[in-house]
Amino acid sequence: MTDAIPAPASPPTRRARVRAPELIGKGGWLNTGEMSYTLADLRGRIVILDFWTFCCINCLHVLDELRELEEKHRDTVVIIGVHSPKFVHEAEHQSVVDAVERYGVHHPVLDDPELATWKQYAVRAWPTLVVIDPEGYVVAQHAGEGHAHAIARLVEELETEHAAKGTLRRGDGPYVPPEPVATGLRFPGKALVLPGGHFLVSDSTRHQLVELEADGETVVRRIGSGVRGSGPDSFSEPQGLALLPDGKVIVADTVNHTLRTYDPVSGAVETVAGTGRQWWQGSPTEGPALEVDLSSPWDVAWWADRVWIAMAGVHQLWTYDPAAGTVAVAAGTTNEGLVDGPAAEAWFAQPSGLAAAGDRLWIADSETSALRYVERAGAGEGEGDGEGDGFVIRTAVGSGLFDFGHRDGAAEQALLQHPLGVTALPDGSVAVSDTYNHALRRYDPSTGEVTTLATDLREPSDAVLVGEDIVVVESARHRLTRLRLPDEAVKVEAVAHRTQREATEVAPGALTLEVVFTAPTGQKLDTRYGPSTRLLVSATPPELLAEGAGAGTDLHRELVLADGVTEGVLHVSAMAASCDDDPANEYPACHVHQQDWGVPVRVGDTGTSRLTLVLAGLGA
């Protein structure tokens, strides 16, 4: 194995003639006025398939990346979201309907709960984009984020090419917006009790904050224009809220990638952290708060004299120091998974809820369906020169990316399903908003037991204490629901699940890993300042890999699977940076393409000895 940069294939692989498989989804079509479509119905249009699932933060990033292209090329391009669930809850049709409205999806969506179209297109990761030309052939595939510029360039080429051939058909697309529904809140995210007893709620889909009276229903005022934006009077899908010592509220303005403060007395809103740009690999991880990029901050909490940030977009915890005006990474490597230990070495997977409780900061780590916490390191723990020194990460409930369900009992075998919120209770226990189980759960550190406090909630995403009651944000019922904390737990029949994705059968011993990356037209890998690609490989359990784990710059890696380990997950993280290939331009624009794969594998004598993952281009 060498560290040479692989050259782009020639001619470009996207010109291969591969007939696109038909679109199949048992759940049917959304945003089409109840019409169903085949690829033949879309002939003459450029079709972009967006394989997504609504739990996936990277998928939500891609939705935002595509908005400009969708608007600019509305008469030639049809974007179709192919919803391909990971969690059981995501396979429920009404949940997909809710998600399409919640995240402002303004194109047709095919609900594919059985992953039929996913399998036909051999997709291996969320998100994946597939481009189909007006004659019905697949011409490009891209996994991960950061490909909007490449797809926009390809769309322009296809428009020119097929207009000349007479195979391009312009006109209105199949998108039909659903009828709006009048409710006081619309998919609220998080809540906070203000000092006077009123509630402040992040009304995420309406891009506002809403102050409610103590009854949790009567609107006192709305903060923000209600239109998605980044101006002084606008938010974009705000989520987390926390009260600061000076009486202001810190707001995680999620899709704007910023932190804002709101003064309940004056009504003033101010941006205090983030540039409005999304953080990418290689960007600064600390510095003046208004000069460092953030990535989908989902929740915030005041703990250890700092604002702690659940940075869902990069699977980390960050901190913001209002006194110094700085931000910094506090925990996590950006790798997605569940790994405990010193803060700088820990892995998270979309941390989405935080709650400060004395010497612990509790974390709802949504994609691992886990309840975790930060605490100060003991002797010999968390030492070193890296960020996050002095803190360690531990897991109370949860085992990894692919196991989830609703099971009470001892914490080491209990199961959650994509929790988004966590609330510290007065007795030292913790309430978990177990979002995809539609339940409120409780973990008691003194006994190590997990119980269920309430069921029949609808996508609870947060909860706050009010006296002896707990007020739950029922996001998909668009309301706050007040519950009396029960003396006894609710009896729930235990269920356990694994992700629906089929494991890839691999042969024992040597396994060749290849990540395909073809630089977009008009771009090249720029090696002036060193390698432009990066590949990081690891496994769960770590014993699965005898050789080949670690980081490198070659997108080709020879792995060796260990004897005696018959199944596991290969974690592959790839990045490639391509720049405009224009010798006359001294400062060419550069673009980062990145994706993390978690590939379940099963070892068997009839399995493959080669694993190909497509970052950009077309596989064999």
Side-chain angles (χ1 to χ4, degrees):
M1 183 179 74
T2 69
D3 287 337
I5 301 299
S10 180
T13 56
R14 67 171 178 79
R15 292 308 186 195
R17 301 286 283 178
V18 180
R19 177 65 71 178
E22 192 52 81
L23 305 178
I24 305 167
K26 186 176 181 180
W29 290 82
L30 304 175
N31 282 356
T32 61
E34 300 186 356
M35 292 288 292
S36 297
Y37 286 89
T38 66
L39 284 176
D41 298 327
L42 303 172
R43 196 62 50 80
R45 310 298 291 273
I46 301 164
V47 177
I48 300 173
L49 303 182
D50 176 13
F51 289 87
W52 71 300
T53 189
F54 64 79
C55 72
C56 163
I57 191 66
N58 311 92
C59 299
L60 304 186
H61 289 167
V62 167
L63 285 176
D64 292 315
E65 288 179 3
L66 292 176
R67 293 186 197 278
E68 182 179 350
L69 181 146
E70 186 171 26
E71 183 61 33
K72 183 177 179 180
H73 299 275
R74 188 169 292 279
D75 67 332
T76 59
V77 171
V78 175
I79 297 177
I80 295 175
V82 182
H83 189 269
S84 314
K86 170 186 174 181
F87 291 99
V88 169
H89 170 64
E90 293 175 305
E92 299 173 7
H93 182 70
Q94 184 58 47
S95 300
V96 182
V97 173
D98 289 344
V100 167
E101 181 188 353
R102 180 195 296 267
Y103 296 117
V105 180
H106 295 158
H107 51 249
V109 172
L110 177 63
D111 181 11
D112 182 19
E114 297 178 345
L115 302 181
T117 298
W118 165 287
K119 294 172 185 174
Q120 286 292 311
Y121 281 82
V123 175
R124 289 186 179 272
W126 298 278
T128 290
L129 298 169
V130 175
V131 182
I132 302 171
D133 73 12
E135 295 179 278
Y137 290 92
V138 175
V139 292
Q141 181 173 331
H142 302 265
E145 305 176 48
H147 302 293
H149 65 283
I151 292 176
R153 177 72 177 266
L154 175 57
V155 163
E156 292 171 355
E157 292 179 10
L158 291 172
E159 286 176 341
T160 301
E161 176 184 337
H162 288 273
K165 293 173 64 176
T167 51
L168 182 69
R169 177 168 56 90
R170 295 179 180 270
D172 293 334
Y175 171 64
V176 177
E179 289 293 325
V181 181
T183 54
L185 301 171
R186 204 69 190 162
F187 297 105
K190 305 288 185 180
L192 173 70
V193 180
L194 295 170
H198 285 186
F199 294 97
L200 188 67
V201 182
S202 55
D203 197 14
S204 302
T205 297
R206 292 208 176 113
H207 315 297
Q208 291 180 315
L209 309 181
V210 179
E211 184 178 338
L212 303 174
E213 290 187 2
D215 62 6
E217 298 180 3
T218 305
V219 175
V220 176
R221 65 177 58 86
R222 293 182 178 275
I223 302 96
S225 66
V227 177
R228 183 192 300 272
S230 57
D233 190 36
S234 299
F235 296 94
S236 189
E237 298 181 27
Q239 287 285 340
L241 308 166
L243 197 64
L244 299 178
D246 64 3
K248 293 181 181 179
V249 176
I250 190 94
V251 183
D253 195 4
T254 303
V255 177
N256 278 329
H257 309 296
T258 57
L259 299 186
R260 321 282 289 277
T261 57
Y262 164 64
D263 188 337
V265 177
S266 69
V269 175
E270 179 184 2
T271 300
V272 295
T275 63
R277 298 183 300 269
Q278 184 183 336
W279 187 94
W280 289 97
Q281 291 288 350
S283 300
T285 56
E286 61 180 345
L290 291 170
E291 299 176 13
V292 177
D293 300 340
L294 308 180
S295 182
S296 297
W298 206 275
D299 203 7
V300 283
W302 180 260
W303 186 70
D305 299 320
R306 298 285 190 277
V307 174
W308 286 67
I309 310 163
M311 202 71 77
V314 286
H315 317 298
Q316 291 180 313
L317 303 181
W318 287 44
T319 59
Y320 162 60
D321 181 350
T326 57
V327 293
V329 172
T333 65
T334 76
N335 295 320
E336 185 178 13
L338 194 155
V339 175
D340 289 341
E345 301 172 12
W347 291 23
F348 298 93
Q350 289 179 217
S352 302
L354 299 174
D359 59 358
R360 288 183 178 178
L361 178 70
W362 293 96
I363 308 158
D365 200 28
S366 62
E367 277 293 281
T368 54
S369 298
L371 173 65
R372 307 174 72 184
Y373 59 92
V374 187
E375 66 179 2
R376 295 203 178 270
E381 293 182 304
E383 296 178 351
D385 299 325
E387 296 153 330
D389 290 348
F391 294 98
V392 293
I393 311 302
R394 306 192 196 281
T395 297
V397 183
S399 58
L401 284 165
F402 299 102
D403 292 287
F404 55 91
H406 191 149
R407 186 163 64 198
D408 289 332
E412 57 268 20
Q413 58 86 51
L415 294 172
L416 309 169
Q417 187 180 180
H418 198 80
L420 292 178
V422 59
T423 307
L425 300 179
D427 64 357
S429 64
V430 182
V432 179
S433 295
D434 194 8
T435 309
Y436 287 4
N437 280 327
H438 310 298
L440 189 67
R441 312 285 293 283
R442 176 178 179 264
Y443 167 67
D444 186 347
S446 66
T447 64
E449 293 288 311
V450 176
T451 54
T452 298
L453 297 176
T455 58
D456 195 31
L457 302 169
R458 186 69 187 172
E459 292 193 21
S461 55
D462 196 19
V464 293
L465 288 173
V466 181
E468 295 182 356
D469 295 341
I470 189 165
V471 176
V472 180
V473 179
E474 271 198 279
S475 189
R477 284 200 177 113
H478 320 293
R479 70 187 188 190
L480 303 186
T481 299
R482 185 181 294 262
L483 304 172
R484 178 57 57 93
L485 280 172
D487 294 328
E488 295 184 5
V490 177
K491 300 294 185 182
V492 175
E493 183 177 354
V495 291
H497 303 287
R498 296 210 85 196
T499 182
Q500 296 186 61
R501 290 176 58 192
E502 296 179 357
T504 298
E505 296 284 346
V506 294
L511 176 66
T512 297
L513 171 65
E514 180 184 17
V515 174
V516 174
F517 177 77
T518 302
T521 302
Q523 296 181 27
K524 66 176 182 179
L525 291 171
D526 188 349
T527 60
R528 289 176 299 172
Y529 306 107
S532 293
T533 56
R534 187 190 71 166
L535 182 66
L536 178 66
V537 180
S538 61
T540 302
E543 296 77 21
L544 175 65
L545 281 178
E547 296 179 23
T553 57
D554 194 348
L555 295 182
H556 178 279
R557 182 82 58 88
E558 296 296 336
L559 310 178
V560 177
L561 304 178
D563 293 336
V565 182
T566 59
E567 63 179 0
V569 178
L570 287 176
H571 302 281
V572 181
S573 178
M575 183 199 72
S578 60
C579 299
D580 292 345
D581 187 9
D582 182 0
N585 186 352
E586 185 178 357
Y587 302 103
C590 295
H591 311 274
V592 176
H593 315 255
Q594 65 183 56
Q595 173 62 13
D596 295 337
W597 291 269
V599 183
V601 296
R602 184 178 298 111
V603 181
D605 292 336
T606 60
T608 181
S609 60
R610 176 176 291 271
L611 177 62
T612 301
L613 304 174
V614 178
L615 180 59
L618 287 175

